[in-house]
Amino acid sequence: MATITAHCLIKNEENFIGYAIKSVIDYVDKIIVFDTGSTDKTVEIVRQLADEYPDKIIFEEKGECDKKRHTELRQEMLDRTTTDWFMI
């Protein structure tokens, strides 16, 4: 059976990130979540979900980023994806 990883590159998504992750968690093998400097409760929400799903969610805080760094982070997600498929 094919495997799939979801990629989430986020910043200040406290209103939606919980719903976004929970909407795909049962359908993917992994979720890679990189936060780029949230100042709201986004990090707290994702940490709670990562504790709830430790085998599925990879979460890292990457700090503020510009357009170039954003592209580099997308590439890092691709490089770290070991599944057959990925989705953004």
Side-chain angles (χ1 to χ4, degrees):
M1 182 172 208
T3 55
I4 187 165
T5 297
H7 294 177
C8 297
L9 191 54
I10 59 173
K11 180 177 180 179
N12 292 334
E13 298 289 346
E14 72 178 338
N15 292 329
F16 305 105
I17 192 61
Y19 299 112
I21 290 174
K22 287 183 179 184
S23 73
V24 298
I25 196 76
D26 292 331
Y27 306 102
V28 299
D29 298 283
K30 293 280 182 196
I31 301 177
I32 300 173
V33 183
F34 288 171
D35 183 79
T36 59
S38 290
T39 56
D40 61 3
K41 294 182 181 180
T42 298
V43 171
E44 178 183 331
I45 294 165
V46 177
R47 284 190 191 283
Q48 289 173 351
L49 288 168
D51 288 344
E52 190 176 339
Y53 300 97
D55 296 333
K56 282 201 168 189
I57 299 175
I58 299 166
F59 175 62
E60 294 180 13
E61 292 180 73
K62 297 296 188 174
E64 290 285 329
C65 72
D66 58 11
K67 291 178 185 179
K68 181 178 185 290
R69 180 71 176 134
H70 191 275
T71 301
E72 292 169 352
L73 292 174
R74 283 279 183 218
Q75 186 61 52
E76 182 180 340
M77 288 178 158
L78 289 171
D79 293 342
R80 293 174 63 176
T81 298
T82 59
T83 53
D84 301 311
W85 296 91
F86 74 93
M87 62 187 262
I88 298 174

